[in-house]
């Protein structure tokens, strides 16, 4: 008998891999593996496709939000009946002089002289602000005619970007033929705050509010979360109370965010009477939501440090505190930062808890302190998306782009810190 076909010691004949049955089973296994690989590849391609679709849609709609249509407006202040002293425009009282000069009416008369009886309707409500800034920068304009560019009205701006009414498109064609129209980068969108006119809105107020809110969140959630993780993993006794705390932390990480908003409303506003719609209150509320995520990630990272590290540190005479803070914590820091990234990214995109504490107010000026009224980027996007004016559509998409860039920058910095402190063994 062939040794390859000899029965095994248990009396069972060896498998004949060259038989038709076994060859068919092998082919079925290979086919199943190929199907699994194709399914995984299809899932990756589908996910990437959705991501590309989202990014392309946001960029296509939002890139127009970073541009602005301007009209060339001829200004002749002496002919318009406005007399100003150039010397006073160079003094500290220049703002007060210009506020009392009636610049909105002067701008409207100049628009009617330049574009006809309906010329004032072609200009944005804030066109006179450009005239004010031009007079402060060039006081000689008070005595000589000049041409300055001012923001166009919302309908003209939309028509210049291909989304206006028939009447506005006709006006755009006429102004373009006359050389009175241009499209420039809208720097005011990055430096201004909220407004009722879509041609005047800016994102800096909401962006600064997000920065201040995230600073408060990180300053509270990170140290408290890390210390709680260290205590639970390194010092806490194993009893029913510790188990109850662990279960509570795991449950808090899964609680809907609006519950934390209700808690912030009841505690920080209702009990402690902290200022409403302030970055301080928003940061405190988001810190409550972020802390459980940091505690769970921190415990897993600390648990992942090899016991030999602790044994070696104790072997050379280190105290328990030195073992934790000199050896365990530095090695666990990359994992802790990963959990912090996840928690902060979730907090940055939250809207519901901040709406509960009143951070949906109309904020016309960026906040200067943690107690000043403010809003944040997600809430600002929500408010703009609910506006009726078509001009806010592109501003909403542009704000989403700013939010994504802010999120990528924050995550990139955190990943850099994680890689910087990462130790391989």
């Amino acid at each position: 008998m062939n040794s390859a076909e000899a029965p095994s010691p248990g009396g069972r004949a060896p498998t004949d891999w060259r038989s038709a049955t076994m060859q068919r089973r092998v082919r079925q296994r290979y086919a199943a593996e190929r199907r699994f690989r194709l399914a995984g590849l299809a899932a990756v391609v589908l996910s990437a496709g959705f991501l590309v679709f989202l990014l392309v849609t946001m960029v296509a709609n939002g890139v127009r939000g970073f541009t602005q249509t301007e009209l060339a407006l001829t200004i002749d202040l002496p002919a318009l009946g406005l007399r100003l002293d150039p010397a006073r425009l160079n003094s500290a009282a220049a703002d007060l002089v210009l506020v009392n000069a009636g610049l909105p009416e002067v701008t409207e008369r100049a628009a009617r002289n330049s574009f006809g009886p309906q010329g004032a309707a072609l200009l944005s409500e804030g066109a006179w602000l450009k005239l004010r800034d031009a007079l402060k920068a060039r006081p000689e304009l008070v005595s000589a005619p000049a041409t300055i560019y001012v923001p166009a009205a919302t309908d003209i701006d939309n028509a210049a970007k291909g989304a206006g009414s028939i009447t506005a498109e006709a006006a755009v064609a006429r102004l373009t033929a006359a050389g009175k129209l241009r499209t420039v980068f809208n720097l005011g969108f990055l430096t201004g705050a909220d407004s009722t006119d879509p041609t005047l809105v800016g994102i800096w107020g909401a962006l600064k509010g997000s920065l201040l809110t995230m600073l408060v969140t990180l300053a509270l959630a990170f140290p408290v979360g890390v210390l709680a993780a260290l205590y639970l993993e390194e010092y806490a006794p194993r009893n029913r109370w510790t188990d109850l705390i662990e279960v509570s932390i795991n449950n808090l990480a899964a609680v809907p965010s609006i519950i934390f908003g209700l808690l912030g409303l009841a505690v920080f506003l209702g009990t402690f009477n902290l200022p409403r719609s302030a970055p301080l209150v928003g940061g405190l509320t988001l810190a409550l939501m972020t802390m459980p995520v940091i505690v769970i990630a921190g415990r897993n990272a600390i648990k992942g440090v090899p016991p030999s590290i602790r044994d070696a540190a104790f072997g050379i005479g280190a105290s328990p505190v030195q073992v934790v803070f000199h050896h365990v914590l530095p090695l666990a820091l990359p994992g802790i930062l990963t959990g912090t990234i996840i928690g902060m990214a979730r907090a940055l995109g939250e809207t519901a808890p901040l709406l509960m504490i009143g951070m949906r107010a109309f904020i016309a000026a960026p906040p200067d302190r943690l107690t000043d009224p403010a809003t944040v980027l997600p809430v600002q996007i929500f408010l703009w998306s609910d506006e009726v004016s078509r001009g806010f559509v592109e501003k909403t998409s542009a704000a989403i782009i700013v939010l994504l860039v802010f999120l990528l920058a924050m995550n990139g910095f955190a990943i850099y810190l994680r890689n910087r402190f990462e130790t391989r063994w």
Side-chain angles (χ1 to χ4, degrees):
M1 182 183 294
N2 192 339
S3 59
E5 299 177 354
S8 62
R12 181 178 177 274
T15 302
D16 185 5
W17 294 98
R18 293 173 296 180
S19 65
T21 302
M22 294 308 300
Q23 290 296 321
R24 184 172 64 254
R25 293 178 62 183
V26 170
R27 287 193 299 270
Q28 290 175 350
R29 291 180 182 179
Y30 288 157
E33 181 179 356
R34 286 193 298 270
R35 288 194 299 270
F36 179 77
R37 293 177 60 183
L38 289 175
L41 179 61
V44 172
V45 172
L46 183 62
S47 302
F50 280 122
L51 178 61
V52 171
F53 175 76
L54 172 64
L55 294 178
V56 170
T57 303
M58 287 298 101
V59 172
N61 293 331
V63 70
R64 293 178 299 184
F66 294 100
T67 60
Q68 185 179 49
T69 304
E70 293 184 340
L71 294 173
L73 181 64
T74 301
I75 296 292
D76 188 355
L77 295 184
L80 294 172
L82 181 62
R83 303 291 180 180
L84 292 174
D85 184 2
R88 298 191 65 186
L89 296 181
N90 290 322
S91 66
D95 289 333
L96 182 60
V97 171
L98 292 174
V99 165
N100 297 323
L103 294 183
E105 293 78 10
V106 172
T107 306
E108 290 181 4
R109 291 200 299 270
R112 287 191 290 269
N113 293 341
S114 299
F115 308 117
Q118 303 299 323
L122 301 177
L123 303 186
S124 167
E125 295 177 1
W128 68 274
L129 298 174
K130 282 284 188 178
L131 176 59
R132 182 197 63 184
D133 296 339
L135 289 173
K136 291 172 63 177
R138 299 160 54 193
E140 65 272 11
L141 293 178
V142 300
S143 57
T147 299
I148 63 173
Y149 281 92
V150 297
T154 302
D155 291 341
I156 301 300
D157 185 51
N158 291 335
K161 297 172 182 178
S165 61
I166 297 177
T167 304
E169 289 178 355
V172 167
R174 184 177 69 254
L175 293 169
T176 302
K180 299 289 187 178
L181 204 67
R182 73 175 186 179
T183 300
V184 296
F185 180 76
N186 188 7
L187 184 61
F189 180 74
L190 300 178
T191 59
D194 200 5
S195 174
T196 56
D197 187 349
T199 62
L200 301 178
V201 297
I203 204 66
W204 173 238
L207 181 59
K208 190 174 182 181
S210 293
L211 286 171
L212 294 176
T213 303
M214 289 298 103
L215 285 176
V216 175
T217 302
L218 184 63
L220 291 175
F222 184 74
V224 175
V226 172
L227 291 176
L230 285 173
Y231 175 78
L232 290 175
E233 197 62 34
E234 298 290 333
Y235 298 105
R238 296 293 178 251
N239 52 39
R240 65 177 61 185
W241 295 110
T242 305
D243 295 339
L244 179 61
I245 292 174
E246 293 178 359
V247 171
S248 300
I249 292 175
N250 292 332
N251 289 335
L252 284 175
V255 168
S257 59
I258 195 170
I259 303 301
F260 292 99
L262 292 172
L263 179 63
L265 176 64
V267 176
F268 302 129
L269 297 182
T271 303
F272 294 105
N273 294 319
L274 294 177
R276 191 177 183 87
S277 187
L280 177 61
V281 180
L284 289 171
T285 304
L286 294 179
L288 294 177
M289 185 186 71
T290 307
M291 210 177 304
V293 178
I294 298 178
V295 172
I296 295 173
R299 291 194 63 192
N300 291 331
I302 294 169
K303 194 180 299 182
V305 177
S308 58
I309 300 295
R310 298 176 176 82
D311 296 338
F314 282 124
I316 60 175
S319 66
V321 173
Q322 290 174 328
V323 170
V324 170
F325 287 96
H326 295 178
H327 301 279
V328 175
L329 184 58
L331 294 178
L333 193 57
I336 295 174
L337 290 177
T338 300
T340 304
I341 293 171
I342 296 173
M344 294 297 293
R346 179 191 175 192
L348 178 60
E350 283 295 340
T351 304
L354 300 181
L355 292 177
M356 295 302 301
I357 61 172
M359 294 190 75
R360 60 166 298 160
F362 178 83
I363 306 299
D368 293 326
R369 297 183 299 272
L370 294 177
T371 55
D372 289 344
T375 187
V376 292
L377 281 172
V379 176
Q380 188 69 81
I381 292 171
F382 168 76
L383 295 177
W384 285 352
S385 66
D386 200 38
E387 292 287 345
V388 177
S389 175
R390 185 179 179 87
F392 281 100
V393 175
E394 61 186 24
K395 302 301 181 183
T396 302
S397 299
I400 293 174
I401 294 176
V402 174
L403 176 61
L404 291 176
V405 172
F406 183 27
L407 180 62
L408 290 175
M410 186 181 72
N411 285 350
F413 180 68
I415 291 172
Y416 166 77
L417 292 178
R418 184 187 65 187
N419 294 336
R420 174 70 176 80
F421 292 109
E422 187 175 12
T423 302
R424 304 180 185 273
W425 59 77

